[in-house]
Amino acid sequence: MRLHTTTWGSGDRIALLIHGIMGDHRTWRLVGPALAERGYRVMAVDLRGHGASGRAEGPEGYTPREYADDLVETLPAGAELAVGHSLGALTLAAAVERLGPRRVVYSDPAWYLPAGEDGYRPELFTQAKLLTREHIRKFNPRWAEEDLDIEMETVRLWDERTAHALVEFAGREMWPDKPLVPSLITLADPSMLVSPAKARMLQERGFELRTVVGAGHTIHRDDFDGFMAALEGWI
């Protein structure tokens, strides 16, 4: 599936941005222009089931493989930089060998969804359709007013079947065996998806890890300055 894309800048170097579940390209509203100011032509996608991109015929069409295939079909190979957040990081890892970016940033990646009674529950995501703006503010007290407005709109557009499709992946170990290109992982503080033990494992496998102190899961919206600081040396 060809995805909807948004572009900032016109530089010679290309940067790719892949958002997480329930979002779209607008979650990168500060990151995209900031990279463009550094000389990149920045391309941000809306994943299938999100934003202005198409929808799958059924939940079985929302798997990491389908998401990755869409990236390969839509985005240019050999970009200077690719950044994926959460589900976007999982998707990017599944596509990185074919996309062949020079460097990658995985932001609080969703490489493991816990199973069981206290594990991954899609209804916690689908209930987001019912949240008010004040609910979102309560869950994300550091977000700017514009991000609250964007979240209301992106959740409204989001196909909630994407959350149900991930149930079959709960409990699976989807950690990459090694970085196929130089790879940085930025982590929330604390990360609910990457435990300290798994962080050490990823370091041992060759990934560089940097924690953004005090930031929540969507690091680039919780602490934009901290997120950009964590990318120094990679952008």
Side-chain angles (χ1 to χ4, degrees):
M1 179 186 296
R2 295 282 297 183
L3 302 175
H4 177 269
T5 62
T6 296
T7 302
W8 295 273
S10 57
D12 295 331
R13 299 181 298 166
I14 295 176
L16 312 175
L17 301 178
I18 303 100
H19 65 82
I21 195 167
M22 298 192 297
D24 64 25
H25 70 276
R26 287 172 289 181
T27 70
W28 303 109
R29 67 178 185 89
L30 297 178
V31 178
L35 291 176
E37 289 178 0
R38 293 174 179 246
Y40 288 93
R41 178 163 64 92
V42 185
M43 300 178 65
V45 299
D46 292 353
L47 293 173
R48 62 168 57 196
H50 298 75
S53 287
R55 272 52 182 159
E57 293 184 3
E60 66 280 356
Y62 293 120
T63 69
R65 178 68 186 190
E66 275 73 28
Y67 289 128
D69 287 346
D70 293 345
L71 293 189
V72 174
E73 182 177 347
T74 304
L75 296 172
E80 181 77 14
L81 174 69
V83 183
H85 168 246
S86 194
L87 174 63
L90 172 63
T91 300
L92 178 56
V96 69
E97 185 171 12
R98 289 178 288 165
L99 278 178
R102 293 187 61 185
R103 287 164 294 132
V104 166
V105 177
Y106 299 113
S107 185
D108 223 30
W111 288 332
Y112 180 74
L113 302 175
E117 186 175 340
D118 296 326
Y120 176 76
R121 295 165 56 194
E123 61 269 23
L124 295 181
F125 288 89
T126 58
Q127 288 171 3
K129 292 277 191 182
L130 305 177
L131 294 181
T132 67
R133 194 171 186 278
E134 291 309 309
H135 284 133
I136 296 173
R137 186 200 304 275
K138 182 177 180 180
F139 292 134
N140 303 280
R142 300 177 66 181
W143 284 15
E145 295 297 316
E146 186 172 348
D147 285 304
L148 298 175
D149 293 336
I150 289 171
E151 187 75 357
M152 288 289 294
E153 177 65 10
T154 59
V155 170
R156 184 186 69 80
L157 294 173
W158 167 62
D159 184 349
E160 61 195 69
R161 296 178 302 167
T162 63
H164 291 282
L166 291 173
V167 170
E168 67 173 289
F169 297 94
R172 293 191 190 182
E173 299 280 347
M174 295 182 284
W175 310 101
D177 293 330
K178 61 182 180 181
L180 299 181
V181 299
S183 301
L184 169 69
I185 299 172
T186 58
L187 295 178
D189 178 35
S191 173
M192 304 303 292
L193 297 178
V194 183
S195 68
K198 294 302 184 182
R200 289 191 294 272
M201 176 197 73
L202 290 165
Q203 285 183 312
E204 291 169 358
R205 292 184 178 185
F207 294 88
E208 181 168 344
L209 274 68
R210 299 177 184 175
T211 296
V212 180
V213 177
H217 174 57
T218 313
I219 302 169
H220 56 282
R221 299 172 92 173
D222 242 32
D223 184 357
F224 168 71
D225 291 336
F227 179 73
M228 296 303 294
L231 302 189
E232 286 301 325
W234 290 81
I235 58 174

